[in-house]
Amino acid sequence: MFDTVLSRRTFLKFSGIATAGLALAACGGSDGSADAAAYKIGGIGPITGAAAIYGNATKFGAQVAVDQVNEIEGSNFFALNWQDDEHDPEKSVNAYNALKDWGMQILVGTTTTAPCVAVSTESNADGIFQLTPSASSTDVIGGQADEDGNVTIPRKDNVFQMCFTDPNQGTASARYISQQKLGTKIAIIYNNADAYSTGIYRKFAAEAKDLGLNVVSTTTFTDDSATDFTVQLNKAKDAKADLIFLPIYYTPASLILTQADSMSYAPKFFGVDGMDGILTLEGFDASLAEGVMLLTPFVATADDDATKDFVAKYKKTTGADEDPNQFAADAYDCVMAIYEAIKKGGVEPSMSAAEMCGTLKNLFASGELTYSGLTGENMSWSESGEVTKDPKGMIIVNGVYEPMDEAATAEAAEDQNVEEVTEQAAEEEGAAE
């Protein structure tokens, strides 16, 4: 197996390198300027609109990586051109065509699922290598059987994912809830009009059944009805659910938490990667997210040096004192994995996009490329386009994400300490008598 050149240890070697702030044009930025000798990387995601928190995270996460590689290799190694698609499939295809006109050779993106499904069809026809940080539907990569066992979308062999697929998130969530014994009666609320939410729900439900989890309530909503969750919450409450699984994005999740609080209903809440971003949602009382659990491959509060260095560079690049979310880390890892593949595969910037794609897709599909980054150790890919890496359980404590296992250990230690103090006090009181 390939031992990556830019492992976490190598990352630290360059931790003192300053990022280039918001000077995107110097690296090919949004104006499309780029040195002809550079590898031209395109990026697509919503940097305006309701899903902008995701697109801006991936844009700046990718920029941090581009800046770092350019410091290592020379200022014109990578040129990055990022386009806004407003989380709209048609606009995303338009953005893709604009990047093609610019001369894009490799695509990082798109950020969100529906636009990525549309764009990946185009990139597959054009033979342009595509690695998405966060579009998790199996329709993005194709070749996956639906719930009836039919493969309706052929494998798009040029497209790979840095994020977990929706089915994998559903399966992993059910297993984690079961292993950690997080709930005895489980309710599910999901968006039945959204491919992301539905895909996760189906696999979660199937795995929950196999594991013997007690699902007592399953309710749905659509984008048009995502304003009032009273019916769904009352059904969960009436069924005495002590954990609600939310395979949804953070915006409807914030309403569910708010409305549950107004009902004095306080079950545990367990989400997936779409929940990331809830703490910074404008107008939401973040204290209501206290204790919320989710599976995510990255947490900005981790104390390893690589994470701390990335967080510092990200803040400098954005010019804002806001921690990066997992989408930023995934985008960073996309660029760095592509960098590793370019070095290993002998890809030259003079190659056409199709020539690059042939080398890169074969390398990623072979399983011989491994990469250790912010969102996983020894990550690898298969012919299916899916990434192999371990999910991490996180819990929101005092307004920040904490590793769930560490939080549980700390809580157990605190309980043990309280118990010991109580026992000691009892012993002293007995002795005094």
Side-chain angles (χ1 to χ4, degrees):
M1 300 294 283
F2 176 52
D3 183 12
T4 60
V5 175
L6 199 74
S7 64
R8 281 176 175 255
R9 292 187 296 273
T10 311
F11 175 99
L12 297 178
K13 177 180 177 182
F14 299 98
S15 63
I17 296 172
T19 55
L22 292 174
L24 300 183
C27 298
S30 57
D31 67 352
S33 60
D35 191 301
Y39 297 88
K40 293 185 176 181
I41 296 180
I44 303 173
I47 56 178
T48 59
I53 190 171
Y54 299 128
N56 280 295
T58 52
K59 180 183 76 169
F60 288 119
Q63 188 66 50
V64 171
V66 165
D67 291 343
Q68 183 170 313
V69 170
N70 284 345
E71 288 287 348
I72 296 168
E73 296 286 349
S75 61
N76 65 340
F77 190 88
F78 277 152
L80 177 65
N81 185 336
W82 199 275
Q83 297 289 317
D84 183 14
D85 67 5
E86 301 177 45
H87 183 48
D88 179 277
E90 183 176 351
K91 291 179 180 178
S92 201
V93 171
N94 291 339
Y96 170 79
N97 288 327
L99 289 171
K100 278 205 316 177
D101 291 341
W102 169 68
M104 172 181 62
Q105 296 165 306
I106 299 169
L107 175 60
V108 172
T110 68
T111 298
T112 50
T113 291
C116 197
V117 172
V119 168
S120 62
T121 300
E122 300 294 322
S123 71
N124 181 250
D126 293 335
I128 294 178
F129 183 80
Q130 180 173 350
L131 180 60
T132 173
S134 48
S136 53
S137 170
T138 55
D139 290 348
V140 169
I141 52 177
Q144 305 285 315
D146 60 22
E147 58 181 330
D148 298 320
N150 301 316
V151 177
T152 56
I153 300 178
R155 168 77 178 109
K156 305 167 189 176
D157 64 356
N158 66 306
V159 187
F160 294 80
Q161 292 168 313
M162 181 60 72
C163 56
F164 297 111
T165 60
D166 296 342
N168 285 345
Q169 287 200 73
T171 300
S173 295
R175 289 175 180 171
Y176 197 91
I177 290 170
S178 176
Q179 291 166 359
Q180 301 296 323
K181 297 179 172 58
L182 298 177
T184 58
K185 294 184 177 181
I186 300 169
I188 306 169
I189 302 175
Y190 74 98
N191 184 342
N192 65 357
D194 178 60
Y196 166 81
S197 186
T198 302
I200 298 174
Y201 156 71
R202 286 173 178 165
K203 282 296 183 179
F204 178 88
E207 188 68 14
K209 182 178 180 180
D210 289 343
L211 294 172
L213 292 176
N214 186 19
V215 177
V216 296
S217 172
T218 301
T219 53
T220 66
F221 66 95
T222 66
D223 292 334
D224 293 335
S225 64
T227 55
D228 185 357
F229 295 92
T230 304
V231 171
Q232 293 91 333
L233 287 167
N234 274 323
K235 286 187 177 180
K237 187 176 183 180
D238 291 344
K240 296 180 169 51
D242 55 3
L243 182 146
I244 298 181
F245 178 57
L246 300 175
I248 58 179
Y249 290 115
Y250 64 91
T251 303
S254 70
L255 295 176
I256 289 173
L257 294 176
T258 301
Q259 291 169 16
D261 179 68
S262 68
M263 295 167 52
S264 299
Y265 178 37
K268 296 176 183 177
F269 290 96
F270 194 102
V272 287
D273 63 4
M275 191 83 79
D276 201 355
I278 195 168
L279 293 177
T280 57
L281 179 61
E282 186 175 356
F284 172 65
D285 180 0
S287 69
L288 297 178
E290 191 74 7
V292 167
M293 299 168 283
L294 67 157
L295 289 186
T296 175
F298 171 81
V299 58
T301 55
D303 61 2
D304 63 283
D305 289 338
T307 297
K308 289 190 288 187
D309 288 338
F310 173 68
V311 170
K313 289 183 177 183
Y314 182 88
K315 289 181 177 180
K316 186 172 183 179
T317 301
T318 62
D321 186 25
E322 185 174 297
D323 285 339
N325 58 27
Q326 71 175 69
F327 300 92
D330 275 329
Y332 171 91
D333 278 348
C334 280
V335 174
M336 301 313 291
I338 288 168
Y339 171 58
E340 292 303 318
I342 284 173
K343 303 291 281 188
K344 181 175 175 62
V347 174
E348 297 293 337
S350 59
M351 290 180 174
S352 68
E355 289 173 322
M356 287 187 183
C357 184
T359 298
L360 293 175
K361 72 179 184 181
N362 290 337
L363 186 56
F364 272 79
S366 70
E368 295 179 2
L369 176 72
T370 61
Y371 164 70
S372 292
L374 295 170
T375 65
E377 296 286 340
N378 298 316
M379 291 180 277
S380 62
W381 291 261
S382 63
E383 291 182 359
S384 70
E386 298 170 278
V387 68
T388 298
K389 60 183 177 182
D390 294 326
K392 303 171 186 175
M394 298 295 164
I395 185 169
I396 297 174
V397 179
N398 296 323
V400 297
Y401 294 113
E402 297 287 354
M404 198 181 304
D405 295 336
E406 292 180 15
T409 300
E411 182 178 352
E414 183 178 348
D415 291 343
Q416 179 66 27
N417 184 54
V418 171
E419 183 179 343
E420 290 174 355
V421 170
T422 303
E423 289 177 354
Q424 183 179 355
E427 290 173 1
E428 291 174 353
E429 182 178 348
E433 292 176 353

